[in-house]
């Protein structure tokens, strides 16, 4: 069943509660209380009908006109995204568990290192889908200005499998097989400096994910 959800002062609680309308043949209104606790916002539905419930999904539109604003960036790797759930049946049986929030709108992330060994340089990049985010379907890496490819081809692994790439003297483009990969590792060795490099250089990346969204990154990297 699908139905609209409204914020309303329908309970004695300080914060506005939720009104959920389920259309016929159920034809029910379900009220929920919203409370602010030390561990976060708690939503309680005390008037659920005595009907079998397989799943429940609450979707709240975001953006500039959204009703709620996040206090933390859910796309950041260290942000906890698990919520606590407590279900009590009409017979008194209680079940408690943790449920991770889905974050399908998070953009891919990247870490890059530039290392010098003797006369040559190596650029190593690890590209990752954000936790719960879409897979990477294409990756393009552009070397810092002054670096060009030498005699070795880059080694690229996507989803644990080695793949090929289209390369020029300063750039490569790799496309993981199938529906994409959640992790892409690029190691480009034996790079040659055509001029003296600064201690900090810029590596440019362009990532396309399964949403067909392009994420462009300019990473300032301190070379080792």
């Amino acid at each position: 069943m699908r139905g609209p959800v409204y914020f309303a002062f329908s309970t004695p609680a300080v914060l506005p509660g939720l009104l959920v309308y389920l259309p016929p043949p159920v034809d029910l209104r379900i009220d929920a209380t919203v409370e602010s606790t030390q561990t976060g916002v708690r939503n309680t539905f005390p008037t659920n009908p005595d009907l079998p419930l397989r799943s429940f999904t609450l979707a709240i539109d975001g953006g500039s006109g959204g009703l709620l604003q996040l206090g933390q960036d859910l796309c950041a790797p260290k942000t906890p995204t698990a919520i606590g759930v407590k279900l009590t049946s009409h017979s008194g049986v209680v079940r408690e568990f943790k449920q991770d929030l889905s974050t399908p709108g998070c953009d891919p992330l990247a870490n890059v290192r530039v290392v010098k060994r003797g006369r040559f340089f190596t650029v190593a990049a690890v590209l990752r889908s954000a936790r719960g985010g879409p897979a990477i379907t294409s990756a393009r890496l552009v070397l810092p200005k002054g670096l060009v490819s030498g005699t070795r081809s880059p080694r690229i692994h996507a989803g644990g499998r080695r793949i090929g790439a289209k390369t020029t003297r300063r750039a490569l483009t790799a496309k993981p097989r199938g529906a994409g990969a959640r992790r892409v590792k690029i190691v480009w060795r034996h790079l040659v400096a055509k001029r003296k490099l600064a201690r900090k250089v810029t590596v440019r990346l362009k990532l396309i994910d399964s949403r067909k969204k392009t994420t462009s990154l300019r990473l300032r990297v301190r070379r080792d």
Side-chain angles (χ1 to χ4, degrees):
M1 304 300 300
R2 294 178 178 269
V5 180
Y6 301 98
F7 281 98
F9 285 101
S10 58
T11 70
V14 176
L15 297 176
L18 298 178
L19 288 182
V20 181
Y21 284 102
L22 298 179
V26 176
D27 197 17
L28 281 177
R29 164 182 157 175
I30 302 175
D31 293 72
T33 58
V34 179
E35 302 168 278
S36 178
T37 71
Q38 291 183 347
T39 57
V41 177
R42 181 168 60 201
N43 298 275
T44 305
F45 292 84
T47 60
N48 289 350
D50 190 8
L51 296 172
L53 181 65
R54 178 176 298 174
S55 66
F56 177 81
T57 301
L58 175 64
I60 299 176
D61 293 337
S64 58
L67 292 171
L68 301 177
Q69 183 176 2
L70 288 172
Q72 298 183 52
D73 182 6
L74 290 182
C75 296
K78 294 185 179 181
T79 300
T81 58
I83 60 174
V85 181
K86 181 179 180 179
L87 301 177
T88 304
S89 70
H90 286 265
S91 63
V93 177
V94 178
R95 184 187 175 197
E96 296 187 60
F97 58 92
K98 293 286 187 179
Q99 177 68 49
D100 280 333
L101 293 172
S102 176
T103 54
C106 293
D107 297 331
L109 308 171
N111 291 318
V112 179
R113 290 185 62 201
V114 179
V115 181
K116 183 181 181 183
R117 294 291 183 267
R119 296 187 301 111
F120 301 107
F121 292 81
T122 296
V123 171
V126 177
L127 320 176
R128 293 187 181 89
S129 293
R131 176 182 48 187
I136 299 169
T137 58
S138 178
R140 177 176 171 81
L141 182 149
V142 179
L143 295 174
K145 290 182 179 180
L147 277 185
V148 296
S149 61
T151 58
R152 298 185 185 178
S153 300
R155 294 177 65 91
I156 304 170
H157 288 82
R161 301 168 59 185
R162 188 171 180 181
I163 63 172
K166 295 180 179 179
T167 62
T168 64
R169 295 202 72 192
R170 291 197 55 236
L172 66 82
T173 301
K175 295 184 178 182
R177 301 183 182 96
R182 302 200 59 78
R183 184 178 186 272
V184 178
K185 183 177 181 181
I186 300 170
V187 179
W188 202 347
R189 294 187 173 90
H190 222 256
L191 302 173
V192 180
K194 303 299 290 184
R195 66 186 187 194
K196 186 176 180 180
L197 293 184
R199 291 298 298 173
K200 282 191 175 182
V201 295
T202 299
V203 178
R204 289 184 291 147
L205 293 162
K206 182 179 289 186
L207 310 176
I208 301 176
D209 59 41
S210 56
R211 299 170 297 177
K212 297 184 179 180
K213 179 181 177 181
T214 299
T215 301
S216 297
L217 302 172
R218 293 175 60 92
L219 303 181
R220 292 284 290 169
V221 181
R222 185 178 180 85
R223 62 179 178 85
D224 298 333

